[in-house]
């Protein structure tokens, strides 16, 4: 007889997000100063961080479990979430029509969905978490309708793409349940380890890969992502590009190492063409963009491709480098969008690359910050972006995938052009506008400086973070397979 453990303590962080989000929705109509919602959301994240660090690991009803892996990823996610919260506050002080309590409530609901997804122990719970993470984002994208009518179109496109991902995922779920007779990761691993249903599970894995490819905007499911990114409020775009993708990649890795570990060779064969095409297409399409948000949207496709390189080896070292890459990308993205929000508040035209001509003359500090983040995004040393790419390429060579490493290196050179073009426009072109400076504000400087510090420190000395991630994965896998 199976005994279900209903340990609500392991759900503490998710419950904090849920109740605080509901509370904000309940009281928002009665409070005029909408900044209250930022403070409540901030309190929810700090309390959630406390529960995350001090609540013992455990399981809830065999569907949800906190462990080394989930807690580590959630910790990274929460740090990034705090930074996105600050740049949201900075943005909403100018774009006041969006400064409503529901904005922060939806962010909390989306974060709760990400946490449920990361702690899931079966395919159904993971699906529910993924949807809970995605649905609030559709509303957040459409929320900027008051400023941009195209936001509804962007939200609709993101919703349709999300529905396609759900279709792929549910088809795989049906196949798994039909052949395995269960939907837990553990049962799938046991059947595959026994040599059963290998062909059927490869088909299921292919469908799951398609679902995550849509969510991560990998080729050939990348076409509508720039529309959604451009239509969103800038903090929501940073949330989409950094935190949502980070959580999705971590959840996909969890599926691979827990459920489909016996299929690791087949996975590499499936992913190589998708990854290389993603790198090439994202880099080429980013080159011709004049709008900096669309350029970053296409580059985010490329960066998801880089992160996927770590999955090709099929071992925990490669997975660790993928997580490290997404961790670095999180800070690069949040820092970049913090600066873009500042520029957009000065003049909306600054989101067009030609309008940034000679910006370094009037805004030397902001220009220098842009230079550091864009050097990191391009993979130029000594930045964290370079180290993240370096480890992935070394891993490919060690996995006897030299030709993949060489092609990825070639595509990374092509992909560096859009970032270097922006730097060239800022530092070498003649000024087109007279820029009137504004106060930076703590809510903008804090996330940008933290991101800058991480990008520089990890570019010089990344070993402690990489070791931490690799040891977490090693310990997680050791305990997991011992338990199996």
């Amino acid at each position: 007889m199976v005994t279900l453990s209903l340990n609500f303590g392991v759900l503490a962080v998710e419950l904090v997000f849920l109740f605080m989000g509901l509370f904000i929705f309940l009281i928002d109509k009665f409070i005029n100063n909408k900044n209250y919602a930022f403070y409540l959301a901030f309190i929810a994240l700090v309390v959630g961080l406390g529960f995350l660090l001090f609540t013992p690991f455990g399981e809830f009803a065999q569907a949800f479990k906190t462990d080394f892996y989930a807690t580590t990823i959630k910790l990274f996610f929460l740090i990034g979430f705090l930074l996105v919260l600050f740049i949201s506050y900075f943005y909403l002080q100018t774009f006041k029509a969006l400064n409503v309590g529901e904005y922060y409530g939806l962010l909390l609901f989306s974060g709760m969905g990400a946490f449920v997804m990361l702690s899931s122990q079966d395919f159904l719970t993971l699906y529910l978490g993924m949807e809970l993470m995605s649905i609030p984002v559709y509303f957040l994208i459409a929320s900027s309708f008051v400023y941009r009518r195209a936001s509804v179109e962007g939200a609709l496109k993101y919703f349709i793409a999300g529905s396609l991902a759900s279709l792929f995922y549910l088809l795989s779920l049906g196949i798994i349940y039909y052949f395995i007779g269960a939907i837990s990761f553990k049962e799938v691993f046991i059947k595959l380890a026994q040599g059963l249903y290998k062909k059927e599970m490869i088909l299921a894995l292919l469908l799951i890969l398609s679902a995550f490819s849509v969510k991560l905007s990998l080729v050939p499911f990348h076409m509508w992502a720039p529309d959604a990114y451009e239509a969103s409020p800038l903090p929501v775009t940073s949330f989409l590009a950094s935190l949502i993708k980070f959580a999705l990649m971590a959840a996909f890795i969890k599926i691979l190492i827990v459920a489909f570990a016996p299929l690791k060779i087949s996975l590499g064969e499936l992913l190589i063409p998708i990854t290389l095409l993603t790198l090439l297409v994202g880099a080429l399409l980013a080159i011709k963009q004049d709008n900096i948000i669309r350029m970053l949207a296409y580059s985010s496709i490329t960066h998801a491709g880089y992160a996927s390189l770590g999955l090709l080896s099929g071992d925990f070292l490669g997975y660790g480098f993928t997580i490290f890459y997404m961790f670095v990308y999180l800070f690069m993205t949040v820092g970049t969008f913090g600066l873009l929000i500042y520029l957009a508040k000065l003049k909306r035209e600054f989101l067009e690359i030609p309008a940034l001509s000679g910006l370094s003359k009037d805004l030397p500090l902001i220009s220098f910050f842009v230079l550091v983040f864009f050097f990191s995004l391009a993979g130029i040393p000594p930045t964290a972006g370079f180290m993240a790419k370096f480890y992935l390429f070394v891993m490919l060579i060690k996995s006897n995938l030299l030709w993949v490493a060489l092609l990825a290196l070639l595509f990374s050179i092509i992909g560096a052009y859009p970032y270097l073009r922006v730097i060239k426009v800022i530092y070498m072109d003649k000024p087109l506008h007279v820029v009137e400076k504004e106060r930076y504000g703590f809510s903008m400087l804090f996330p940008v400086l933290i991101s800058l510090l991480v990008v520089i420190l990890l570019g010089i000395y990344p070993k402690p973070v990489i070791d931490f991630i690799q040891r977490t994965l090693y310990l997680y896998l050791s305990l997991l397979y011992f338990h199996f």
Side-chain angles (χ1 to χ4, degrees):
M1 180 179 178
V2 178
T3 304
L4 294 179
S5 170
L6 299 179
N7 180 7
F8 285 94
V10 300
L11 289 167
V13 184
E14 288 76 9
L15 291 176
V16 168
F17 286 2
L18 173 65
F19 288 126
M20 191 62 86
L22 289 174
F23 182 68
I24 289 173
F25 270 77
L26 280 173
I27 66 171
D28 189 59
K29 292 293 181 187
F30 307 104
I31 299 179
N32 291 326
N33 186 352
K34 301 302 180 184
N35 290 335
Y36 84 94
F38 163 78
Y39 296 107
L40 290 183
F42 178 74
I43 291 169
L45 295 193
V46 173
V47 172
L49 184 62
F51 278 123
L52 189 67
L53 294 176
F54 298 108
T55 303
F57 297 153
E59 187 177 273
F60 184 86
Q62 297 186 353
F64 183 99
K65 186 177 183 181
T66 56
D67 47 43
F68 286 109
Y69 182 74
T71 301
T72 301
I73 300 298
K74 288 178 181 178
L75 178 63
F76 292 159
F77 187 96
L78 263 182
I79 295 169
F81 202 171
L82 274 168
L83 299 182
V84 169
L85 204 65
F86 274 100
I87 63 172
S88 295
Y89 177 84
F90 182 66
Y91 182 82
L92 297 181
Q93 299 314 300
T94 300
F95 300 93
K96 293 184 182 298
L98 302 177
N99 193 13
V100 291
E102 284 91 345
Y103 176 93
Y104 295 100
L106 289 169
L107 279 181
L108 288 175
F109 288 151
S110 185
M112 183 180 72
F115 277 26
V116 170
M117 181 176 68
L118 292 168
S119 288
S120 58
Q121 291 296 294
D122 61 53
F123 290 95
L124 183 59
T125 308
L126 189 145
Y127 173 72
L128 294 174
M130 188 191 297
E131 291 303 300
L132 183 55
M133 178 181 70
S134 301
I135 290 171
V137 172
Y138 304 141
F139 290 98
L140 286 169
I141 294 173
S143 66
S144 61
F145 176 75
V146 288
Y147 295 108
R148 287 176 56 84
R149 291 189 178 277
S151 67
V152 175
E153 180 187 339
L156 188 60
K157 286 181 174 178
Y158 198 68
F159 170 73
I160 293 172
S163 301
L164 183 64
S166 298
L167 173 66
F168 287 136
Y169 191 91
L170 290 174
L171 283 172
S172 73
L173 187 57
I175 292 171
I176 290 168
Y177 187 73
Y178 181 81
F179 288 100
I180 305 295
I183 54 172
S184 71
F185 300 152
K186 180 179 175 182
E187 291 295 330
V188 173
F189 177 88
I190 290 173
K191 295 293 183 186
L192 285 173
Q194 293 171 349
L196 299 173
Y197 309 119
K198 186 175 179 181
K199 291 181 180 175
E200 293 82 359
M201 290 306 104
I202 288 177
L203 176 60
L205 177 58
L206 184 61
L207 287 166
I208 290 175
L209 175 62
S210 301
F212 276 87
S213 296
V214 176
K215 291 283 187 182
L216 291 165
S217 306
L218 299 180
V219 172
F221 306 108
H222 62 286
M223 295 304 292
W224 282 349
D227 294 335
Y229 281 34
E230 189 181 7
S232 307
L234 290 178
V236 175
T237 311
S238 72
F239 185 75
L240 274 171
S242 58
L243 290 170
I244 295 285
K245 287 196 173 184
F246 179 66
L248 284 166
M249 191 62 83
F252 186 54
I253 287 174
K254 183 173 186 176
I255 290 177
L256 295 179
I257 59 181
V258 181
F260 293 108
L263 296 178
K264 63 179 183 179
I265 303 297
S266 305
L267 173 72
E269 295 168 357
L270 292 172
L271 266 177
I272 286 174
I274 296 174
T275 302
L276 290 177
L277 275 174
T278 300
L279 291 177
L280 179 62
V281 173
L284 291 177
L285 291 178
I287 287 175
K288 65 176 186 178
Q289 304 302 322
D290 276 342
N291 183 282
I292 200 164
I293 303 300
R294 290 189 73 83
M295 186 275 279
L296 289 172
Y298 281 112
S299 82
S300 79
I301 294 168
T302 311
H303 286 288
Y306 285 124
S308 301
L309 290 173
L311 308 180
L312 303 183
S313 66
D315 57 35
F316 82 91
L317 282 173
Y319 298 150
F321 291 138
T322 291
I323 292 171
F324 177 70
Y325 193 91
M326 294 305 293
F327 178 71
V328 169
Y329 182 65
L330 189 158
F331 286 97
M332 293 190 296
T333 306
V334 172
T336 300
F337 273 89
L339 297 173
L340 292 181
I341 289 170
Y342 178 78
L343 292 175
K345 289 176 78 166
L346 292 179
K347 193 175 284 187
R348 184 77 190 179
E349 288 76 13
F350 282 148
L351 296 183
E352 299 294 326
I353 294 172
L356 297 173
S357 297
L359 192 72
S360 61
K361 301 286 190 301
D362 294 317
L363 295 174
L365 185 63
I366 295 294
S367 301
F368 175 71
F369 288 169
V370 171
L371 182 141
V372 174
F373 285 124
F374 275 31
F375 268 23
S376 187
L377 286 165
I380 295 172
T383 59
F386 168 77
M387 294 309 301
K389 285 190 177 74
F390 173 77
Y391 280 108
L392 286 170
F393 292 155
V394 170
M395 183 276 304
L396 287 174
I397 294 169
K398 285 186 176 178
S399 303
N400 296 319
L401 293 169
L402 178 62
W403 67 277
V404 178
L406 289 173
L407 283 176
L409 182 62
L410 174 64
F411 298 156
S412 72
I413 294 170
I414 299 172
Y417 172 79
Y419 305 113
L420 298 180
R421 178 194 170 204
V422 175
I423 300 301
K424 177 252 178 192
V425 168
I426 290 176
Y427 279 94
M428 298 183 180
D429 288 2
K430 293 181 179 177
L432 294 178
H433 305 278
V434 177
V435 181
E436 296 181 7
K437 297 178 185 176
E438 281 193 14
R439 288 180 65 249
Y440 296 132
F442 175 80
S443 55
M444 172 266 186
L445 272 182
F446 175 72
V448 168
L449 290 178
I450 292 290
S451 301
L452 194 76
L453 193 65
V454 171
V455 165
I456 292 173
L457 285 179
L458 292 186
I460 298 169
Y461 191 51
K463 193 172 184 300
V465 176
I466 290 178
D467 286 348
F468 177 66
I469 293 171
Q470 297 291 9
R471 284 173 186 168
T472 298
L473 273 171
Y474 180 76
L475 187 60
Y476 176 63
L477 288 173
S478 301
L479 293 173
L480 182 74
Y481 292 140
F482 176 76
H483 180 67
F484 280 8

